[in-house]
Amino acid sequence: MVGAIGKDKDMANEKEKVIVVGVETEENSAQFEDSMKELKNLTETAQGEVVFSLTQKRPRVDRQTLIGKGKLQELIDFADAYEADVIIFNHEMTPRQNQLVCEALGIRVIDRVQLILDIFALRARSREGKLQVELAQLNYLLPRLIGQGKHLSRLGGGIGTRGPGETKLESDRRHIRNKITVIKRELKEVAAHRERSRQKRQTADIFQIGLVGYTNAGKSTIINLLTAAKTYSEDQLFATLDPLTKKWQMPNGMVVTITDTVGFIQDLPTQLIEAFQSTLEESREMDLLLHVVDASASNRLQHEQTVTALMEELDFGTIPVLTVYNKKDLIDKDEFTPTLFPNVLVSAKESQDKEILISRIREKMMELLSPYELTLGADQGQALSELKRQTIVLSEEFLEAENSYQVRGFAKNESKWVRRTEE
């Protein structure tokens, strides 16, 4: 895998110098500033340093170069003045646009999609995650091979080159298509193993909770708060890439699973959605989704809309959702107005909020589960212990006259405990 930065810069421990470019049009004017700010954050996440930001206002982007001849000459001058290593456009470029701009500048030119794919390549840890990212990158770069060879031959590594690497990208289309076929086959095997694990959890009557949300909303911090999972949790975009499923024993004794997923982002590349289908399948089978939202984000509403739209696109629309507004320590609670319901406002960094969050999750679970009432003999201790692990036990009373336990609670509708109640 190609390194994060070129060899010379690696020796000097320097970051690549990046110029970010954005065109404000009639279509994107509402979120343009936030989108450019996000592009800078993405660039820093990819270990680059933004040395200049070039923006332009026009009714629509230029068909050939996105920014037009005059602005392109300005970009050439700025690239020379700042000794830029790479130019990153805040738009998805067509193969022809990329080729024309690249030829004019003589340095590496990538777009927002390629940058996000690059960060995913940097973040992938598991075999499945690496395969999924490589598949997305190859699918994205396949139509962009024409004219890429001479530019790729002098890249020497850096932002936009992680993953498949130069030698693979310089290979012919047939080789890359064969590689895509091999990766898809390997992913099918991994997906089959994941499906077996998922079915095993379902047959075990385990309640499954999934975490979704905009990148950097605090999903990993929430899962760490609840489960002490010690997952990677930093103030970075896409800090978590590989899905993580952990068991969580609630205070009442019930054991559920919590799955952390990759963060969503505005204009999430379709190549990634396609590549991560097996991972996303994990979330489709959840009994409850916790939509984690950064309550302190200046563009919170846009984040919410992005995630909600993607959830619809990914067929999550039928799964019950509890919105967890996180980072309340960074806002004025009196001025905060929630827009998604039902919800709970917490700070994952404040220990006392753990009980508030657990209580709200428990309430939501009880709305989704079915009530049961059972009588277990005093000699059925193992069944009672199993009942406490698999259900929410509301009350447990020992009746001396009958020498039995009277237990009331809530369980999954298809569980044996509810069936026994109905019998």
Side-chain angles (χ1 to χ4, degrees):
M1 186 175 286
V2 179
I5 52 179
K7 290 180 182 178
D8 295 338
K9 289 188 176 294
D10 193 35
M11 292 290 289
N13 198 26
E14 293 178 12
K15 291 185 175 182
E16 289 190 288
K17 294 179 181 178
V18 178
I19 292 179
V20 293
V21 183
V23 180
E24 182 179 350
T25 65
E26 294 169 355
E27 290 182 1
N28 69 11
S29 59
Q31 67 268 14
F32 181 72
E33 284 189 23
D34 287 331
S35 183
M36 286 299 294
K37 183 180 177 183
E38 190 170 77
L39 183 68
K40 290 178 184 178
N41 290 337
L42 286 167
T43 301
E44 289 167 6
T45 300
Q47 301 172 3
E49 177 191 359
V50 177
V51 293
F52 188 73
S53 176
L54 182 69
T55 59
Q56 181 186 34
K57 269 189 179 183
R58 53 189 301 153
R60 63 191 65 83
V61 297
D62 182 77
R63 287 184 180 180
Q64 290 192 310
T65 63
L66 290 175
I67 55 177
K69 289 182 180 178
K71 212 68 176 176
L72 181 60
Q73 185 56 53
E74 280 187 44
L75 180 57
I76 292 169
D77 295 339
F78 283 124
D80 187 49
Y82 285 95
E83 298 181 339
D85 300 299
V86 58
I87 309 296
I88 303 178
F89 277 78
N90 195 26
H91 314 267
E92 182 171 355
M93 304 176 79
T94 66
R96 180 63 177 159
Q97 286 168 342
N98 185 279
Q99 185 182 357
L100 287 172
V101 176
C102 205
E103 285 175 353
L105 285 158
I107 59 174
R108 200 176 337 132
V109 177
I110 66 171
D111 61 18
R112 183 187 179 94
V113 174
Q114 203 168 343
L115 176 62
I116 293 172
L117 292 173
D118 190 66
I119 294 170
F120 271 57
L122 185 68
R123 289 276 181 264
R125 293 290 179 268
S126 71
R127 173 171 165 263
E128 182 184 18
K130 290 174 181 176
L131 286 170
Q132 287 170 325
V133 173
E134 185 168 2
L135 176 62
Q137 287 178 311
L138 291 172
N139 277 326
Y140 182 72
L141 292 167
L142 185 58
R144 291 165 169 78
L145 289 175
I146 298 173
Q148 288 287 318
K150 58 185 177 182
H151 299 296
L152 288 168
S153 63
R154 60 169 181 264
L155 293 186
I159 298 172
T161 67
R162 299 180 186 99
E166 297 164 44
T167 54
K168 291 176 187 168
L169 299 183
E170 288 173 340
S171 301
D172 61 16
R173 289 172 179 270
R174 189 175 2 170
H175 173 76
I176 290 183
R177 286 197 180 102
N178 289 341
K179 179 66 177 172
I180 287 172
T181 302
V182 170
I183 292 174
K184 283 183 176 178
R185 191 181 302 129
E186 289 185 59
L187 282 172
K188 273 188 178 178
E189 293 172 9
V190 177
H193 173 73
R194 185 187 292 280
E195 176 64 25
R196 288 192 294 271
S197 299
R198 186 164 63 237
Q199 287 178 349
K200 191 175 179 182
R201 288 200 300 272
Q202 286 176 331
T203 53
D205 293 336
I206 294 178
F207 192 92
Q208 300 178 79
I209 300 173
L211 273 72
V212 296
Y214 208 80
T215 183
N216 204 31
K219 296 183 300 300
S220 296
T221 314
I222 293 287
I223 200 172
N224 288 344
L225 179 73
L226 295 174
T227 68
K230 296 181 181 177
T231 61
Y232 184 70
S233 173
E234 288 295 330
D235 185 20
Q236 291 181 335
L237 299 176
F238 302 118
T240 301
L241 175 57
D242 298 303
L244 173 80
T245 298
K246 285 289 180 182
K247 284 187 176 179
W248 171 39
Q249 185 164 25
M250 299 175 71
N252 67 322
M254 184 179 182
V255 176
V256 303
T257 61
I258 300 187
T259 300
D260 191 8
T261 58
V262 63
F264 294 158
I265 194 168
Q266 185 184 356
D267 302 322
L268 187 69
T270 53
Q271 294 84 358
L272 274 178
I273 294 175
E274 291 167 6
F276 278 74
Q277 281 303 321
S278 61
T279 303
L280 295 167
E281 284 288 340
E282 191 85 359
S283 297
R284 285 197 191 99
E285 302 299 326
M286 296 296 144
D287 298 297
L288 173 65
L289 290 176
L290 300 182
H291 175 189
V292 183
V293 178
D294 179 355
S296 68
S298 59
N299 48 345
R300 190 195 92 213
L301 293 179
Q302 185 258 314
H303 288 186
E304 291 178 357
Q305 290 164 4
T306 297
V307 174
T308 302
L310 278 167
M311 284 169 64
E312 288 293 333
E313 185 181 335
L314 297 168
D315 297 328
F316 291 177
T318 58
I319 307 173
V321 178
L322 171 63
T323 299
V324 180
Y325 284 109
N326 187 28
K327 306 186 184 182
K328 80 169 187 185
D329 52 309
L330 302 178
I331 63 169
D332 184 338
K333 294 188 287 293
D334 295 328
E335 294 183 3
F336 177 75
T337 305
T339 44
L340 296 176
F341 300 89
N343 64 63
V344 59
L345 177 63
V346 298
S347 168
K349 294 186 176 179
E350 294 180 7
S351 56
Q352 64 268 29
D353 281 7
K354 179 178 180 178
E355 300 308 317
I356 296 171
L357 179 58
I358 291 173
S359 175
R360 195 70 185 88
I361 292 173
R362 188 170 178 266
E363 285 175 18
K364 187 63 183 174
M365 286 173 63
M366 286 166 61
E367 290 176 19
L368 303 172
L369 298 173
S370 299
Y372 70 81
E373 190 169 336
L374 293 173
T375 301
L376 296 175
D379 58 345
Q380 291 182 283
Q382 187 173 345
L384 181 61
S385 176
E386 190 179 350
L387 187 68
K388 289 177 179 177
R389 286 197 310 274
Q390 295 181 1
T391 75
I392 294 178
V393 175
L394 287 185
S395 65
E396 171 196 344
E397 184 182 358
F398 182 68
L399 307 174
E400 290 189 23
E402 288 83 8
N403 195 30
S404 63
Y405 290 95
Q406 190 77 25
V407 188
R408 291 173 54 250
F410 288 85
K412 292 185 77 170
N413 189 50
E414 60 272 22
S415 74
K416 60 185 178 182
W417 309 112
V418 173
R419 289 199 302 269
R420 282 175 62 171
T421 299
E422 291 170 350
E423 292 168 3

